[in-house]
Amino acid sequence: VNIEHSRAIRLASTVTGLDEPTLRDRQERALIFVSLDPALAGTPLAARTLLCTLRRLPGRLALRSTGLPGGLVEEIVAATLAIDPTRPLALDLGEAEATVRIHLGLEDRAGAIRIVPDGFGAQVAGDPEVELDLGRPGNALGAIFAAALAAAEAFKYVVVDNPDRRTLHRHLSFCPLTLTDDTTAAPGLWITRESIDAAIVGNGAIGTAIALILAELRLGGRLILCDHERYGPENRGTYSLGGELEARMNPLKVELVGKVLRAAGYSTIGLAEKSTAMIERIDAGEIPAPPILLTGLDSVEARRETQMLFPDHIFDAATGDTALGLHHAVPAGPCLRCFFTQSAGGPDPLVRLAEETGLPVGRLRRGDEALSEQDLSGLSAAQRELLNEFLGKPVCGLADALGLTSASVDDYRPSVPFVSQLAACLAVGRLLAVRAGLAPETNLFQFDALHGPRGGGEIRGPEPDCYCQQRRSIVENLRLKRGLSS
Ligand SMILES: [Zn+2]
């Protein structure tokens, strides 16, 4: 089975404007050489994550194994082979002629780009003159954040020659908890005492990256996993978990993610269904309501449906091409429905629904109100016929019932795993920041993976017309019934 690289190459083509055969050739011929200082906290995990991520992309890889513990080299070789057994990692070859050299360590190594996990964050030094000082020992989030930044650096050097589309960092420092360049602000030790009660909704490119980070953090606790799909061959090139075996065996995504999380000490509940079904199960008392959702969803509609759980927090990680972001939603607003008022890309489903049914968009927005005779007055005979059977039912079900639900665009969107990993780091970072009382006020934070994060972000308020504002008492009652109210 050949690994599915078409999306990485399509993304490269979007970024550079070059044709796909030229880029395929450029990526396949490139050699990325990775070395590390194994004594530095977090670098073994960063190296394994980086090489596994790069193994999902086209190109040749080498690791400097001299001076590394034998067990670590074996572990990394096995992990990359599990992803793609046809392209083994070279050991100690090609450092001189490498296209890019990445060193996971503080000391300059013949001009290689240096990247180090630093607390929950990481530092990048593209300039050999920069003296790197570590703020805190790197933990698992810092290690995976460092690996994702390192993969982005490699991608920039191999693929992107347009200076407008990339920033080559002389020195970058960033912490995904505080969203600042200060990697010392978040204390480290408290996470060992934490345990988690949450759900990961969407176990795709972002959800598997969230699961990878949580598995390595080993917080303990309970995780509900919700995704109705199976792992397919095309997922191997863009996800953070799964390899050649899963591409062949097609397990449910919740099975794959559950196995990894249970091995890391979590208890899991896997639901191979949509979030609407998860909410029904919660309301039926079959499963407990998770107070926290980590979401990695690819459509506005899925986000709006998932919001209806109204948990204490939703940490929503989002990606589009090389851009990524975090939305932090709370029941009092802004909720995910405030952040995502309508469909991004393609016609707004409500506009399509209005065209199809003849009902005004303003009426369709009041989705909870039942369709009445009065609504049908003034419609054509054909439109009345279409809508007759929905009389007395809330209009929010119309889109599904009429087959107008916007299809998932995930299969067509070009993506690479490091973009999803950076988004996942923001979501898990915000989860930890909230637990530690360190969360900044910003509830919307975005950056481009090829330019890197900068401090700041936005503070969004609730949308006055949103369900969370117009139906406050319903939201509170739902939360109370689900045992979510404080
Ligand atoms: Zn809202």
Side-chain angles (χ1 to χ4, degrees):
V1 186
N2 273 324
I3 200 161
E4 163 73 53
H5 288 145
S6 61
R7 272 178 253 190
I9 289 165
R10 207 179 309 152
L11 178 69
S13 176
T14 311
V15 170
T16 58
L18 295 172
D19 64 84
E20 293 188 10
T22 305
L23 283 163
R24 184 179 295 274
D25 188 50
R26 186 189 287 186
Q27 281 183 278
E28 292 291 3
R29 273 186 308 157
L31 171 65
I32 302 169
F33 189 93
V34 177
S35 58
L36 67 141
D37 171 1
L40 203 61
T43 57
L45 173 58
R48 194 195 78 204
T49 307
L50 171 62
L51 287 162
C52 283
T53 299
L54 294 173
R55 189 67 300 158
R56 297 176 188 280
L57 301 171
R60 296 179 296 144
L61 295 179
L63 169 70
R64 180 178 160 83
S65 70
T66 310
L68 298 184
L72 174 63
V73 176
E74 275 173 37
E75 182 199 332
I76 292 174
V77 167
T80 52
L81 278 178
I83 291 166
D84 189 353
T86 66
R87 297 182 305 148
L89 177 67
L91 297 178
D92 301 306
L93 293 170
E95 183 166 13
E97 76 265 25
T99 320
V100 195
R101 286 173 299 121
I102 305 269
H103 181 57
L104 304 167
L106 294 168
E107 304 301 325
D108 174 43
R109 191 179 158 76
I113 303 166
R114 287 167 294 158
I115 295 161
V116 288
D118 188 357
F120 294 95
Q123 294 189 51
V124 178
D127 181 344
E129 300 287 309
V130 170
E131 273 199 38
L132 284 178
D133 266 329
L134 209 56
R136 291 177 184 277
N139 58 46
L141 175 56
I144 292 169
F145 188 59
L149 289 175
E153 288 305 299
F155 189 82
K156 285 179 213 175
Y157 277 88
V158 171
V159 171
V160 190
D161 39 22
N162 177 353
D164 293 339
R165 285 305 306 263
R166 68 177 193 184
T167 299
L168 301 178
H169 304 289
R170 181 173 179 272
H171 182 212
L172 170 79
S173 175
F174 193 78
C175 169
L177 269 65
T178 59
L179 305 180
T180 67
D181 60 4
D182 184 357
T183 52
T184 63
L189 285 173
W190 60 274
I191 62 163
T192 56
R193 301 188 304 272
E194 289 291 302
S195 113
I196 191 176
D197 183 8
I200 305 176
V201 181
N203 291 192
I206 295 169
T208 53
I210 289 172
L212 170 68
I213 299 166
L214 291 178
E216 295 295 341
L217 281 169
R218 294 179 179 269
L219 302 175
R222 178 176 58 202
L223 288 163
I224 295 172
L225 309 170
C226 179
D227 192 304
H228 66 286
E229 293 181 338
R230 286 182 177 275
Y231 195 94
E234 70 282 5
N235 301 141
R236 188 166 46 142
T238 57
Y239 285 21
S240 288
L241 297 174
E244 195 267 340
L245 181 70
E246 287 76 15
R248 232 172 349 100
M249 304 298 284
N250 313 122
L252 288 165
K253 291 175 185 175
V254 295
E255 280 175 7
L256 165 65
V257 171
K259 203 166 117 185
V260 171
L261 288 168
R262 285 191 298 279
Y266 296 88
S267 69
T268 65
I269 300 172
L271 304 175
E273 56 199 21
K274 293 191 171 189
S275 65
T276 43
M278 176 184 77
I279 296 173
E280 280 167 22
R281 279 183 200 280
I282 289 166
D283 287 337
E286 290 173 36
I287 53 169
I292 289 166
L293 296 186
L294 292 147
T295 53
L297 297 165
D298 54 24
S299 75
V300 168
E301 194 190 0
R303 286 185 171 91
R304 291 176 62 83
E305 285 170 359
T306 303
Q307 177 59 59
M308 292 311 285
L309 180 65
F310 282 102
D312 297 350
H313 298 279
I314 300 181
F315 306 112
D316 176 72
T319 59
D321 287 359
T322 60
L324 62 113
L326 164 76
H327 308 95
H328 180 180
V330 292
C335 72
L336 275 190
R337 292 177 158 242
C338 297
F339 282 113
F340 295 91
T341 52
Q342 56 177 10
S343 173
D348 182 343
L350 278 188
V351 174
R352 286 175 57 212
L353 191 58
E355 282 167 5
E356 190 82 10
T357 60
L359 294 170
V361 170
R363 174 65 189 90
L364 291 169
R365 281 196 205 285
R366 303 199 305 278
D368 297 310
E369 285 176 31
L371 190 69
S372 68
E373 282 288 356
Q374 205 188 334
D375 289 322
L376 301 193
S377 66
L379 299 189
S380 71
Q383 287 166 335
R384 282 168 161 277
E385 181 138 335
L386 178 73
L387 291 175
N388 248 330
E389 61 172 301
F390 300 103
L391 277 171
K393 295 177 187 166
V395 300
C396 59
L398 280 175
D400 273 327
L402 297 174
L404 287 171
T405 307
S406 53
S408 157
V409 292
D410 187 49
D411 285 348
Y412 308 101
R413 184 186 298 162
S415 60
V416 284
F418 60 83
V419 178
S420 304
Q421 287 168 0
L422 290 170
C425 288
L426 291 181
V428 176
R430 179 55 66 100
L431 162 72
L432 297 177
V434 166
R435 300 291 286 258
L438 289 166
E441 268 187 77
T442 48
N443 49 25
L444 172 60
F445 185 78
Q446 295 173 296
F447 67 93
D448 188 295
L450 302 182
H451 290 296
R454 260 168 241 167
E458 291 176 47
I459 303 174
R460 281 279 178 92
E463 291 288 325
D465 292 338
C466 184
Y467 190 96
C468 70
Q469 303 302 304
Q470 296 287 327
R471 300 280 183 276
R472 278 171 188 272
S473 58
I474 295 179
V475 169
E476 265 321 299
N477 280 337
L478 282 174
R479 284 174 47 74
L480 204 64
K481 271 189 218 150
R482 291 167 181 165
L484 288 167
S485 254
S486 44

